[in-house]
């Protein structure tokens, strides 16, 4: 009975216990009393008190001569002694009820004769205000006046028993509240410690491990699972991916989508509780706990919700920290890559360095960098760690480079073996299954493609995919810089009209060759009577003659030979590793072709000179001087001929 009414009485807040000095003070809770708000809850307390009173007062003579009945303020019987209780209850609507009401209303002892005999009704009052809260009635066959004093003592005895029971309940209620307060304090302390440990972790894996460990400590009799909406490999079987199968009937999906806790009771009484794990920016998963019948206390729900919120915030902080570190590392990689790329202005070196760096950054098995040759309309492999692909050429419609070329977008393939959207020589020959690819863009056009592969499926992450896209942009900038530098250098060392090299470039190259080669030859070519051509046909025709002669020279020499415009209508050809005899034959071939192929027809005179490592003086100036002297002799010997200068 006590447990049933413990929580029903209105809690009474007490100030601190008054200080006791010399006087003996009564126990503080003895001054507590019932109130009007407690009236509907007193029936069990009346019955218990009456039963206890019957045990303590059983020896009184009054019990043998009659019976006692207990009435509440509504004059209803709540307890009684003797076998006539039922009969008394049946007649309580008559004179007995009237006597009880008189006692309640007047607050004094009332005696009278009723249908069941003589009745004495003693009202019992509350401690503080003296209000009647019940009536103890005594029924007997004889007159009860001479027994009034004894009845008064019985009433006081019952009142004492009632308040004793009331104080027990009050104290027990206070102890229960204290126990709950201590439990709440312990729970709050445990939550504080759990939250502190969660916030102390700076990586996602540690946050999840600490969360699961805290749940084990706080709810040892439960089974806990964590369903994450983000990819994360934790290694704990209790951490699972959040999969939406049937949102209407799936407890976890419902909690995640609604953003509220959801409870469900199984047939065996097991409680399943799903709580979203949210941060300030988003929901990251759902905490799901199953607990057996009778083991869950609703008072634990706020603590569980608080722990879920704390874990969501800690997870978000760890995720942000992880992403910031990843971003810092990516920026460091991009900065280092850009710095290294800009150290070289040669396209071949840039492609080779990019291949090496990308293999390291992505821990990839293979990397291939292709450049689009617009003249051939072919992708050419510029660099790869798979030698079989070196210098391979592919159509812009072929394989993954073709897909990237058409879409101008990066690409990620999780498993090439299961999703063979195109045929790829790189993937097939290397046995690769994972791929990330990105275009190399220059001024909005695809000038190359980067392919990075791995033999394992699902190897590359979405972050890898994004990082390659950023890095390909910087590689594209490096390619642009190198191309511009190459174009500027070509313009500097090339004569605009003839397309031959400039004179200073020829001088530099001859100096370099003289440091390495054992010998070489120089041919100076002069167009005969070129001023007459300009005067006769005009300067535009003169320029056309210069271009025709330059084209003939280019077609008459080897790839390693160096042709240049020496000045005006004079052209020069340096032949590394060639002696004067062979140089003479090359000059003769040039002379014949000029006479046969120019329009209008012109002729040329040539001067040839050579140098060897045995010469006393080896220099560009001496080589040109001898060739110039030979050319002078050719012009003074009728032109359209060749002379060889003497050492």
């Amino acid at each position: 009975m006590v447990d049933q009414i413990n929580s029903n009485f209105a809690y009474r807040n007490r100030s601190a216990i008054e200080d006791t000095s010399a006087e003996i003070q009564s126990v503080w809770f003895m001054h507590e009393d019932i109130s009007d708000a407690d009236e509907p809850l007193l029936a069990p307390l009346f019955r218990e008190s009456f039963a206890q009173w019957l045990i303590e007062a059983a020896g009184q003579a009054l019990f043998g001569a009659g019976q006692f009945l207990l009435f509440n303020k509504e004059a209803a019987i709540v307890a009684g002694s003797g076998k006539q209780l039922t009969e008394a209850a049946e007649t309580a609507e008559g004179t007995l009820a009237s006597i009880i009401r008189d006692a309640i209303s007047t607050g004094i002892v009332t005696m009278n004769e009723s249908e069941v005999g003589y009745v004495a009704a003693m009202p019992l009052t509350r401690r503080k205000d003296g209000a009647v809260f019940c009536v103890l009635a005594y029924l007997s066959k004889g007159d009860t006046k001479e027994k009034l004093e004894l009845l008064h003592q019985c009433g006081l005895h019952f009142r004492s028993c009632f308040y004793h029971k009331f104080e027990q309940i009050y104290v027990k209620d206070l102890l229960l509240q204290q126990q709950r307060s201590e439990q709440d304090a312990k729970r709050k302390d445990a939550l504080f410690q759990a939250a502190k440990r969660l916030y102390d972790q700076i990586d996602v894996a540690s946050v999840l491990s600490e969360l699961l460990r805290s749940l084990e400590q706080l709810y040892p009799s439960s089974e806990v699972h964590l369903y994450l909406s983000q990819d994360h490999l934790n290694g704990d079987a209790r951490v699972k991916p959040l999969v939406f199968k049937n949102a209407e009937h799936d407890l976890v999906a419902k909690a995640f989508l609604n953003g509220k806790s959801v409870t469900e009771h199984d047939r065996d009484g097991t409680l399943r509780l799903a709580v979203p794990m949210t941060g300030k920016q988003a929901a990251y998963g759902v905490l799901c706990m199953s607990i057996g019948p009778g083991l869950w206390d609703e008072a634990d729900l706020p603590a569980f919700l608080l722990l879920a919120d704390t874990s969501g915030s800690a997870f978000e902080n760890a995720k942000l920290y992880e992403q910031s570190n990843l971003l810092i590392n990516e920026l460091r990689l991009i900065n280092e890559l850009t710095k290294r790329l800009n150290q070289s202005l040669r396209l071949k070196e840039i492609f080779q360095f990019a291949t090496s760096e990308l293999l390291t950054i992505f821990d990839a098995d293979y990397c291939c960098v292709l450049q689009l040759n617009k003249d051939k309309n072919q992708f050419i492999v510029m660099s790869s760690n798979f030698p079989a692909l070196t210098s391979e050429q592919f159509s812009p419609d072929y394989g993954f480079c073709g897909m990237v070329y058409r879409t101008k977008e990066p690409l990620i393939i999780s498993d090439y073996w299961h999703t063979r959207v195109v045929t790829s020589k790189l993937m097939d020959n290397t046995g690769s299954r994972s791929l990330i690819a990105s275009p190399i863009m220059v001024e909005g056009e695809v000038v190359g493609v980067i392919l990075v592969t791995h033999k394992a499926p699902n190897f590359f992450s979405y972050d890898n995919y994004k990082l390659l896209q950023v890095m390909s942009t910087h590689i594209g900038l490096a390619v642009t810089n190198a191309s511009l530098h190459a174009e500027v250098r070509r313009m500097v060392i090339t004569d605009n009209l003839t397309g031959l090299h400039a004179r200073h470039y020829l001088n530099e190259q001859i100096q370099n060759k003289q440091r390495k080669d054992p010998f070489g030859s120089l041919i100076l070519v002069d167009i005969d009577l070129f001023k007459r051509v300009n005067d006769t046909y005009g300067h535009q025709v003169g320029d056309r003659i210069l271009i025709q002669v330059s084209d003939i020279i280019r077609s008459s020499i080897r790839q390693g030979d160096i042709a240049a415009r020496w000045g005006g209508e004079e052209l020069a050809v340096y032949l590394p590793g060639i002696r004067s005899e062979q140089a003479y034959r090359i000059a003769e071939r040039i002379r014949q072709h000029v006479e046969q192929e120019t329009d209008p027809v012109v002729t040329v005179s040539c001067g040839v000179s050579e140098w060897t490592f045995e010469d006393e003086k080896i220099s560009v100036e001496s080589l040109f001087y001898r060739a110039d002297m030979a050319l002078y002799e050719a012009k003074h010997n009728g032109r359209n001929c060749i002379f060889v200068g003497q050492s």
Side-chain angles (χ1 to χ4, degrees):
M1 172 267 180
V2 176
D3 292 338
Q4 295 175 350
I5 63 174
N6 275 344
S7 301
N8 293 330
F9 284 102
Y11 300 143
R12 296 158 172 81
N13 294 326
R14 298 292 301 182
S15 60
I17 299 176
E18 296 179 1
D19 185 25
T20 60
S21 53
E23 295 185 14
I24 300 176
Q25 301 291 333
S26 60
V27 180
W28 63 269
F29 58 76
M30 292 179 63
H31 298 285
E32 293 298 324
D33 203 353
I34 59 175
S35 64
D36 292 339
D38 298 327
E39 294 291 343
L41 310 172
L42 292 178
L45 184 59
F46 283 144
R47 288 192 290 269
E48 282 201 359
S49 304
F50 194 81
Q52 180 65 31
W53 174 71
L54 288 178
I55 295 173
E56 295 181 6
Q60 295 290 338
L62 293 177
F63 284 89
Q67 65 172 329
F68 286 93
L69 296 176
L70 184 64
F71 294 83
N72 61 18
K73 285 179 63 175
E74 283 71 33
I77 298 175
V78 293
S81 65
K83 299 179 181 178
Q84 294 82 10
L85 178 60
T86 303
E87 181 182 349
E90 292 175 352
T91 61
E93 294 296 328
T95 307
L96 179 61
S98 177
I99 295 171
I100 299 302
R101 290 192 185 94
D102 289 343
I104 294 173
S105 61
T106 61
I108 60 176
V109 178
T110 303
M111 292 183 294
N112 207 335
E113 185 176 0
S114 70
E115 298 88 340
V116 295
Y118 291 96
V119 179
M122 177 176 290
L124 303 179
T125 58
R126 297 193 297 219
R127 288 173 171 173
K128 288 186 177 180
D129 55 10
V132 176
F133 69 91
C134 68
V135 175
L136 182 65
Y138 180 70
L139 283 67
S140 68
K141 296 297 183 180
D143 194 355
T144 58
K145 290 182 179 179
E146 67 275 6
K147 303 174 183 177
L148 184 60
E149 182 63 28
L150 189 57
L151 286 172
H152 183 71
Q153 293 177 2
C154 288
L156 293 177
H157 184 194
F158 171 76
R159 185 173 180 271
S160 175
C161 289
F162 173 82
Y163 273 105
H164 180 67
K165 285 293 182 182
F166 170 75
E167 290 162 1
Q168 285 182 341
I169 293 175
Y170 186 77
V171 172
K172 190 172 183 179
D173 198 29
L174 290 176
L175 292 174
L176 180 61
Q177 294 306 311
Q178 182 180 1
Q179 183 180 0
R180 288 182 176 176
S181 298
E182 290 176 353
Q183 289 176 349
D184 289 342
K186 289 181 180 179
R187 186 183 293 112
K188 289 180 181 178
D189 182 65
L191 285 173
F192 174 77
Q193 295 300 329
K196 185 175 182 299
R197 290 194 300 268
L198 283 171
Y199 282 122
D200 284 343
Q201 311 305 320
I202 59 174
D203 63 278
V204 174
S206 298
V207 168
L208 296 181
S209 298
E210 184 57 45
L211 171 61
L212 294 171
R213 191 176 72 85
S214 298
L215 288 172
E216 284 181 350
Q217 293 177 350
L218 293 171
Y219 308 99
S221 59
S222 65
E223 181 181 345
V224 179
H225 290 94
L226 175 59
Y227 297 88
L228 287 180
S229 60
Q230 302 188 354
D231 295 336
H232 182 74
L233 299 176
N234 180 259
D236 194 315
R238 294 171 295 179
V239 180
K240 301 178 180 180
L242 180 59
V243 180
F244 297 94
K245 294 181 180 179
N246 189 342
E248 292 185 4
H249 300 90
D250 186 358
L251 188 75
V252 174
K254 194 181 298 183
F256 183 81
L257 294 175
N258 296 337
K260 298 179 180 178
S261 61
V262 181
T263 56
E264 184 178 85
H265 293 273
D266 293 340
R267 292 182 178 179
D268 61 353
T270 300
L271 174 73
R272 296 180 66 232
L273 174 63
V275 178
M277 190 178 75
T278 59
K280 293 182 179 180
Q281 296 183 350
Y284 299 100
V286 176
L287 274 173
C288 187
M289 183 172 69
S290 299
I291 190 165
L295 298 177
W296 174 252
D297 186 353
E298 288 298 327
D300 289 338
L301 182 59
F304 191 79
L305 295 176
L306 180 60
L307 184 62
D309 287 340
T310 303
S311 59
S313 299
F315 182 88
E316 182 176 75
N317 292 340
K319 200 70 179 176
L320 291 173
Y321 178 79
E322 185 181 84
Q323 291 174 351
S324 64
N325 280 342
L326 181 62
L327 181 60
I328 291 171
N329 289 333
E330 288 181 359
L331 291 174
R332 187 182 296 114
L333 287 172
I334 292 169
N335 181 58
E336 185 65 25
L337 179 71
T338 304
K339 184 171 67 175
R340 295 283 300 277
L341 285 171
N342 291 333
Q343 287 177 354
S344 176
L345 291 172
R346 297 172 182 261
L347 281 174
K348 189 68 175 177
E349 291 180 0
I350 290 174
F351 288 133
Q352 289 176 347
F353 172 73
T355 299
S356 174
E357 288 298 299
L358 293 174
L359 285 168
T360 303
I361 291 170
F362 296 109
D363 195 20
D365 288 332
Y366 299 98
C367 180
C368 180
V369 181
L370 303 97
Q371 185 181 22
L372 180 64
N373 187 315
K374 293 185 178 180
D375 295 333
K376 297 181 179 180
N377 195 29
Q378 293 280 311
F379 274 107
I380 301 174
V381 177
M382 302 301 295
S383 177
S384 176
N385 65 324
F386 187 62
L389 290 179
T390 304
S391 299
E392 280 272 5
Q393 298 185 14
F394 300 100
S395 166
D397 298 325
Y398 175 79
F400 290 116
C401 63
M403 289 182 64
V404 174
Y405 178 71
R406 290 191 300 273
T407 63
K408 297 183 180 181
E409 295 290 340
L411 181 69
I412 182 169
I413 299 295
S414 298
D415 194 345
Y416 172 73
W417 292 4
H418 292 162
T419 55
R420 191 182 292 265
V421 291
V422 294
T423 301
S424 171
K425 189 173 182 179
L426 173 64
M427 302 295 283
D428 290 333
N429 291 358
T430 61
S432 297
R433 298 179 67 173
S434 299
L435 173 137
I436 47 176
S438 182
I440 300 174
M441 306 289 292
V442 174
E443 296 181 353
E445 296 296 327
V446 179
V447 299
V449 175
I450 301 171
L451 304 175
V452 182
T453 74
H454 198 280
K455 293 181 179 180
N458 305 302
F459 182 79
F460 298 113
S461 66
Y462 183 67
D463 290 332
N464 297 147
Y465 165 82
K466 294 190 296 182
L467 180 58
L468 179 62
Q469 186 177 4
V470 174
M471 288 187 165
S472 65
T473 302
H474 290 274
I475 293 172
L477 292 174
V479 170
T480 301
N481 292 338
S483 300
L484 290 174
H485 180 268
E487 179 63 19
V488 171
R489 178 171 173 77
R490 187 194 66 78
M491 292 173 63
V492 169
I493 66 174
T494 303
D495 177 67
N496 290 334
L497 177 63
T498 63
L500 300 180
H501 291 297
R503 178 172 178 172
H504 69 87
Y505 178 77
L506 178 65
N507 292 344
E508 293 173 2
Q509 292 300 310
I510 293 175
Q511 286 180 344
N512 292 335
K513 297 296 183 182
Q514 286 180 336
R515 296 189 189 100
K516 303 173 184 177
D517 297 341
F519 46 81
S521 297
L522 177 69
I523 303 174
L524 288 182
V525 180
D526 183 80
I527 300 174
D528 296 332
L529 304 174
F530 186 71
K531 185 177 183 305
R532 184 185 299 176
V533 173
N534 283 332
D535 293 342
T536 303
Y537 300 101
H539 287 281
Q540 288 185 344
V541 174
D543 290 345
R544 194 174 72 200
I545 290 296
L546 271 173
I547 294 172
Q548 291 178 15
V549 174
S550 299
D551 292 341
I552 291 171
I553 291 175
R554 259 195 300 267
S555 64
S556 301
I557 61 178
R558 303 170 302 175
Q559 185 176 0
D561 297 336
I562 305 168
R565 186 177 181 183
W566 197 44
E569 70 275 14
E570 293 180 339
L571 309 172
V573 180
Y574 179 72
L575 308 169
I578 295 294
R579 299 300 297 266
S580 58
E581 295 83 0
Q582 188 176 354
Y584 182 88
R585 292 193 293 272
I586 295 172
E588 178 61 24
R589 184 164 62 242
I590 293 171
R591 187 195 65 78
Q592 291 177 3
H593 281 289
V594 168
E595 189 175 11
Q596 296 168 2
E597 298 174 10
T598 52
D599 180 27
V601 177
V602 295
T603 60
V604 294
S605 300
C606 301
V608 177
S609 66
E610 71 169 0
W611 70 271
T612 68
F613 68 94
E614 298 174 347
D615 292 345
E616 292 183 4
K617 184 179 181 182
I618 300 174
S619 66
V620 176
E621 291 78 10
S622 61
L623 185 64
F624 270 98
Y625 177 77
R626 292 196 299 271
D628 194 32
M629 290 298 100
L631 178 61
Y632 182 79
E633 288 187 31
K635 284 186 172 290
H636 283 76
N637 283 274
R639 298 185 177 85
N640 195 20
C641 60
I642 302 167
F643 272 74
V644 178
Q646 302 298 319
S647 300

